[in-house]
Amino acid sequence: QVQLQESGPGLVKPSQTLSLTCTVSGGSITTNYYYWSWIRQPPGKGLEWMGAIAYSGSTYYSPSLKSRTSISRDTSKNQFTLQLSSVTPEDTAVYYCARSYQLKTTGWIRGSGYWGQGTQVTVSS
């Protein structure tokens, strides 16, 4: 059974870089043809796909966040990491990591597939 777990600071100051790590157990992040995504949900809003890293190491980003987002991985630790730069209070959200078979940029539904439990990140001074 694949399990994902997000970790990182719960509070980030404006203009700083948000950094979160997703630790995966029960399966390798290099297994063909899985994609490992970051998704967020701001308060009172829907799910927003931010980007993904493929089993191959290729990365994909939402056009609206591409200039501020970087996703990387550490295969030795079976982890992948999100960095979001120049954060503002509008980046306050619950951040999730999730797995999909093939690249999935829309139509994410909580409770369907493999997700982490989510981590609250608040951007505030």
Side-chain angles (χ1 to χ4, degrees):
Q1 181 80 358
V2 173
Q3 293 184 321
L4 297 86
Q5 178 67 58
E6 305 89 350
S7 60
L11 180 64
V12 182
K13 293 183 178 180
S15 80
Q16 291 187 341
T17 295
L18 179 163
S19 183
L20 296 174
T21 296
C22 183
T23 300
V24 179
S25 59
S28 172
I29 61 173
T30 62
T31 299
N32 298 349
Y33 299 94
Y34 290 108
Y35 290 72
W36 305 88
S37 288
W38 286 100
I39 300 155
R40 69 180 181 179
Q41 185 166 26
K45 297 185 179 180
L47 295 169
E48 177 184 22
W49 178 79
M50 302 179 68
I53 188 162
Y55 59 96
S56 62
S58 297
T59 53
Y60 306 84
Y61 300 107
S62 167
S64 64
L65 295 170
K66 185 175 183 178
S67 64
R68 300 196 291 131
T69 307
S70 177
I71 298 175
S72 58
R73 68 180 185 176
D74 184 335
T75 57
S76 67
K77 296 181 180 179
N78 216 35
Q79 296 175 332
F80 62 105
T81 298
L82 169 73
Q83 290 193 313
L84 181 66
S85 64
S86 304
V87 297
T88 72
E90 285 67 42
D91 293 310
T92 294
V94 178
Y95 285 75
Y96 300 95
C97 55
R99 188 190 80 169
S100 64
Y101 187 76
Q102 299 184 336
L103 183 63
K104 182 180 176 71
T105 63
T106 61
W108 286 92
I109 300 173
R110 283 281 291 152
S112 176
Y114 294 94
W115 292 68
Q117 65 182 24
T119 187
Q120 173 71 47
V121 177
T122 300
V123 179
S124 174
S125 56

Coordinates of all heavy atoms in Angstrom, one line a residue, residues 49-50 60-68 105:
W49 N -4.1 22.1 -9.1 CA -2.9 21.3 -9.4 C -1.7 22.3 -9.6 O -1.9 23.3 -10.4 CB -3.1 20.5 -10.6 CG -1.9 19.7 -11.1 CD1 -1.5 18.5 -10.5 CD2 -1.0 20.0 -12.1 NE1 -0.3 18.1 -11.2 CE2 0.0 19.0 -12.2 CE3 -0.9 21.0 -13.0 CZ2 1.0 19.0 -13.1 CZ3 0.1 21.1 -14.0 CH2 1.1 20.0 -14.0
M50 N -0.6 22.1 -9.0 CA 0.5 23.0 -9.1 C 1.6 22.5 -10.0 O 2.3 23.2 -10.7 CB 1.1 23.2 -7.7 CG 0.2 23.7 -6.7 SD 0.9 24.0 -5.1 CE 2.1 25.3 -5.4
Y60 N 6.7 19.0 -14.6 CA 5.6 19.7 -15.3 C 5.0 20.7 -14.3 O 4.8 20.4 -13.1 CB 4.5 18.7 -15.7 CG 5.1 17.5 -16.6 CD1 5.7 16.4 -15.9 CD2 5.1 17.6 -18.0 CE1 6.3 15.4 -16.7 CE2 5.6 16.6 -18.7 CZ 6.2 15.5 -18.1 OH 6.8 14.5 -18.8
Y61 N 4.6 21.9 -14.8 CA 4.1 22.9 -13.9 C 2.8 23.5 -14.5 O 2.6 23.6 -15.7 CB 5.1 24.0 -13.7 CG 6.4 23.5 -13.1 CD1 7.6 23.4 -13.9 CD2 6.5 23.1 -11.8 CE1 8.8 22.9 -13.3 CE2 7.7 22.6 -11.2 CZ 8.8 22.5 -12.0 OH 10.0 22.1 -11.4
S62 N 2.0 24.0 -13.6 CA 0.8 24.8 -13.9 C 1.3 26.1 -14.5 O 2.2 26.7 -13.9 CB 0.0 25.1 -12.7 OG -1.0 26.1 -13.0
P63 N 0.8 26.5 -15.7 CA 1.3 27.7 -16.3 C 1.1 29.0 -15.4 O 2.0 29.9 -15.4 CB 0.3 27.9 -17.5 CG -0.1 26.5 -17.8 CD -0.2 25.8 -16.5
S64 N 0.1 28.9 -14.5 CA -0.1 30.1 -13.6 C 0.9 30.2 -12.5 O 1.1 31.2 -11.9 CB -1.5 30.0 -13.1 OG -1.7 28.9 -12.2
L65 N 1.6 29.1 -12.2 CA 2.5 29.0 -11.1 C 4.0 28.8 -11.6 O 4.9 28.8 -10.7 CB 2.1 28.0 -10.1 CG 0.8 28.3 -9.4 CD1 0.4 27.0 -8.6 CD2 0.9 29.4 -8.4
K66 N 4.1 28.5 -12.8 CA 5.4 28.0 -13.3 C 6.6 28.9 -13.0 O 7.7 28.4 -12.6 CB 5.3 27.9 -14.9 CG 6.6 27.3 -15.5 CD 6.4 27.0 -17.0 CE 7.6 26.3 -17.6 NZ 7.4 26.1 -19.0
S67 N 6.4 30.2 -13.0 CA 7.5 31.1 -12.7 C 8.0 31.1 -11.3 O 9.1 31.5 -11.0 CB 7.1 32.6 -13.1 OG 6.1 33.0 -12.2
R68 N 7.1 30.5 -10.4 CA 7.5 30.5 -8.9 C 7.7 29.1 -8.4 O 8.0 29.0 -7.2 CB 6.4 31.2 -8.1 CG 6.2 32.7 -8.5 CD 5.4 33.4 -7.4 NE 4.0 32.9 -7.3 CZ 3.4 32.5 -6.2 NH1 4.1 32.5 -5.0 NH2 2.1 32.1 -6.2
T105 N -3.4 16.7 -14.8 CA -3.4 18.1 -14.4 C -4.7 18.7 -14.0 O -4.8 19.8 -13.4 CB -2.9 19.0 -15.6 OG1 -3.8 18.9 -16.7 CG2 -1.5 18.5 -16.1

